[in-house]
Amino acid sequence: MSDMSLPRVQHIVGSGVVAAVGIWVTWVSYTQQPSEAFLFPRLISTVFVVLALWTFFKACLGWTKVGNGISARQLTSLAPGLVIALIYIFWAAKALGFYTATTLAFFVLLSLYDPAPHGQVRSWVQRVIITACFMAVMYGLFAVLLKVYTPREILF
């Protein structure tokens, strides 16, 4: 790997991590019971893992344009979002329930990355409205339209 550029290595590592997560999610969706509840997740995860593996192999073979890679500044900007995502995936969705955890995670991420001033009430009201609209769409999509299983625990 000594002849590879840092951006290409970053692309290989990043796409490899995404592919590994895709394989894990796909495996979970095919092994959980009741199997009827995981029909939609199976479909989505299968498509996800195929695309992730395709991207990973393209990166390994050098067929992908890689750009400049991720700088340390960009990585520090992304780090809080990654931490929130990991907490959501490995704890919050199961412990708090899908809709409660998704609402909290979305609101926190929106608050972290929204460039609107944090000292104005108007920007907080907008964040609450955006979060409510997002969750209405999520609920409509999963519970009403697709009728799929979502993790249910403490609240709903």
Side-chain angles (χ1 to χ4, degrees):
M1 271 220 240
S2 61
D3 62 332
M4 282 194 210
S5 66
L6 182 58
R8 182 168 175 213
V9 171
Q10 286 180 344
H11 189 75
I12 291 170
V13 170
S15 62
V17 168
V18 170
V21 170
I23 290 168
W24 175 68
V25 168
T26 303
W27 179 79
V28 167
S29 72
Y30 277 90
T31 58
Q32 296 298 307
Q33 295 297 327
S35 61
E36 302 82 39
F38 289 91
L39 182 60
F40 180 72
R42 279 188 198 130
L43 175 68
I44 296 300
S45 64
T46 301
V47 171
F48 174 77
V49 80
V50 167
L51 294 173
L53 287 170
W54 178 38
T55 302
F56 176 66
F57 289 124
K58 280 178 55 178
C60 289
L61 296 172
W63 295 351
T64 305
K65 296 179 183 177
V66 294
N68 295 328
I70 298 175
S71 68
R73 183 172 174 242
Q74 291 170 322
L75 189 58
T76 56
S77 295
L78 292 173
L82 293 173
V83 169
I84 300 295
L86 290 173
I87 291 169
Y88 174 81
I89 291 167
F90 291 108
W91 177 76
K94 183 76 170 162
L96 300 176
F98 175 76
Y99 297 108
T100 304
T102 302
T103 302
L104 291 172
F106 185 83
F107 184 75
V108 170
L109 288 171
L110 181 60
S111 299
L112 280 172
Y113 293 110
D114 183 11
H118 287 83
Q120 294 181 355
V121 174
R122 184 174 189 267
S123 65
W124 287 104
V125 170
Q126 284 179 332
R127 290 181 188 108
V128 168
I129 291 170
I130 291 168
T131 301
C133 290
F134 173 77
M135 288 313 301
V137 169
M138 293 293 288
Y139 181 79
L141 177 66
F142 289 115
V144 178
L145 185 64
L146 297 173
K147 295 181 175 45
V148 296
Y149 169 82
T150 56
R152 300 177 193 277
E153 292 298 324
I154 292 175
L155 298 176
F156 56 105

